[in-house]
Amino acid sequence: MPTSDVLAPSDFDAWPSHDVHVEWGVPGAALAAARGDAVVVVDVLSFSTTLAVAVDRGFACLVYSGAEIAEMGGREAAAERLRARALSKRRRVPPGALSLSPGSLTRAEPGQRVLFTSLNGASIVAASASAPALLVAGLRNAAASARTARAVLTSGTARRITIVASGEQWSSVEPGVSGMRPAAEDWLGAGLLCLRLREAGLSLSAEAALSAASWTSSDVLRDCVSARELVAAGFAEDVELSLELDVSDVVPVRDNAEPSGRTFTGQHAPG
């Protein structure tokens, strides 16, 4: 079939006119940023939770994708260049060491400047670098994230909020097979934000409305693929930290005035 029969016209814009939209992964983030949207990254298990715990403990979080860190010569070289401490490559670390495990940050000295990366959440942050505002949201700070995102919109900083559900890398299939899968925890996490934003009077796209309608509770997520993978690997604590609901009023927000343009600090949500 000719491509003209299956593709929309070149002037077709898939982005809706509503206040809040939901997209997936790096392509969705890049397209949202190119349109001048505020981007909210949702990667519940575990990037969003890791950053939420970090900013609760006064960390300055410098977020770069793995590819960007490789271009800077690797983790240690990048950390030295950015005057930050690098995360361990391993998730399991002794007390005081830092990894992508949110549990590790609960036992680390507060107030550190740390270089963060991850397969999914950090790559979405990198793809969103040109967005006028960039937030990281999870279940721990869902209500606070919704209030902060709404304040960004009403301030005129952006004309729309695009919530980007991260998705996950497949890790439970045969060796050598890779790819992305939609993640239930990110869809429901985005849905909770959409629900809160609709309650605050913002209009939702069809995708955002469907995501909002999917929200029930965090308990159902204990049996999702990502949670079971973490529990099987010995990180049940990380799952419990990730599924706690509205326990923090602090949101990781990119500091647009910081020279790197990738530094997230904790911002208390407006009342």
Side-chain angles (χ1 to χ4, degrees), residues 1-7:
M1 181 180 293
T3 55
S4 60
D5 291 340
V6 297
L7 296 180

Side-chain angles (χ1 to χ4, degrees), residues 40 125 179:
V40 181
V125 166

Side-chain angles (χ1 to χ4, degrees), residues 163-214:
I163 300 169
V164 180
S166 173
E168 292 288 340
Q169 296 281 338
W170 273 111
S171 58
S172 56
V173 293
E174 60 185 287
V177 177
S178 63
M180 294 293 294
R181 63 170 173 83
E185 67 274 13
D186 298 338
W187 179 246
L188 265 66
L192 178 57
L193 291 176
C194 291
L195 186 62
R196 298 274 170 79
L197 290 166
R198 183 171 63 191
E199 291 169 349
L202 300 186
S203 65
L204 306 185
S205 70
E207 290 79 6
L210 286 167
S211 184
S214 70

Side-chain angles (χ1 to χ4, degrees), residues 101-195:
S101 163
S104 74
L105 302 186
T106 67
R107 293 176 284 275
E109 181 182 350
Q112 300 186 58
R113 180 177 168 90
V114 178
L115 172 62
F116 285 86
T117 190
S118 71
L119 281 175
N120 303 305
S123 295
I124 291 171
V125 166
S128 309
S130 65
L134 187 51
L135 290 67
V136 177
L139 301 184
R140 295 180 62 82
N141 57 9
S145 296
R147 296 200 306 273
T148 302
R150 183 178 183 275
V152 168
L153 193 67
T154 56
S155 72
T157 301
R159 62 188 182 90
R160 181 173 42 229
I161 299 163
T162 291
I163 300 169
V164 180
S166 173
E168 292 288 340
Q169 296 281 338
W170 273 111
S171 58
S172 56
V173 293
E174 60 185 287
V177 177
S178 63
M180 294 293 294
R181 63 170 173 83
E185 67 274 13
D186 298 338
W187 179 246
L188 265 66
L192 178 57
L193 291 176
C194 291
L195 186 62

Side-chain angles (χ1 to χ4, degrees), residues 3-270:
T3 55
S4 60
D5 291 340
V6 297
L7 296 180
S10 59
D11 60 352
F12 172 74
D13 186 352
W15 250 243
S17 59
H18 297 279
D19 298 323
V20 183
H21 184 47
V22 172
E23 280 296 342
W24 283 98
V26 167
L31 289 168
R35 286 164 168 76
D37 291 7
V39 173
V40 181
V41 180
V42 177
D43 184 358
V44 173
L45 292 167
S46 303
F47 175 77
S48 291
T49 302
T50 301
L51 256 64
V53 171
V55 298
D56 259 342
R57 294 179 58 76
F59 281 48
C61 307
L62 287 85
V63 180
Y64 288 83
S65 70
E68 290 173 318
I69 288 174
E71 288 177 359
M72 288 188 276
R75 293 190 186 214
E76 297 304 326
E80 183 177 357
R81 172 176 169 179
L82 296 167
R83 297 177 292 105
R85 183 177 177 183
L87 291 182
S88 170
K89 292 182 179 180
R90 296 180 179 273
R91 192 177 183 100
R92 190 181 305 282
V93 292
L98 305 175
S99 80
L100 194 60
S101 163
S104 74
L105 302 186
T106 67
R107 293 176 284 275
E109 181 182 350
Q112 300 186 58
R113 180 177 168 90
V114 178
L115 172 62
F116 285 86
T117 190
S118 71
L119 281 175
N120 303 305
S123 295
I124 291 171
V125 166
S128 309
S130 65
L134 187 51
L135 290 67
V136 177
L139 301 184
R140 295 180 62 82
N141 57 9
S145 296
R147 296 200 306 273
T148 302
R150 183 178 183 275
V152 168
L153 193 67
T154 56
S155 72
T157 301
R159 62 188 182 90
R160 181 173 42 229
I161 299 163
T162 291
I163 300 169
V164 180
S166 173
E168 292 288 340
Q169 296 281 338
W170 273 111
S171 58
S172 56
V173 293
E174 60 185 287
V177 177
S178 63
M180 294 293 294
R181 63 170 173 83
E185 67 274 13
D186 298 338
W187 179 246
L188 265 66
L192 178 57
L193 291 176
C194 291
L195 186 62
R196 298 274 170 79
L197 290 166
R198 183 171 63 191
E199 291 169 349
L202 300 186
S203 65
L204 306 185
S205 70
E207 290 79 6
L210 286 167
S211 184
S214 70
W215 172 256
T216 53
S217 75
S218 60
D219 289 340
V220 68
L221 293 173
R222 286 188 172 83
D223 198 40
C224 72
V225 173
S226 301
R228 289 189 288 109
E229 285 182 336
L230 284 171
V231 171
F235 294 98
E237 178 192 23
D238 289 351
V239 174
E240 294 307 312
L241 287 169
S242 298
L243 300 188
E244 288 183 318
L245 186 61
D246 288 332
V247 295
S248 176
D249 196 47
V250 181
V251 181
V253 177
R254 184 187 61 194
D255 182 356
N256 288 341
E258 205 274 342
S260 74
R262 294 293 185 81
T263 301
F264 289 75
T265 55
Q267 181 175 310
H268 285 272

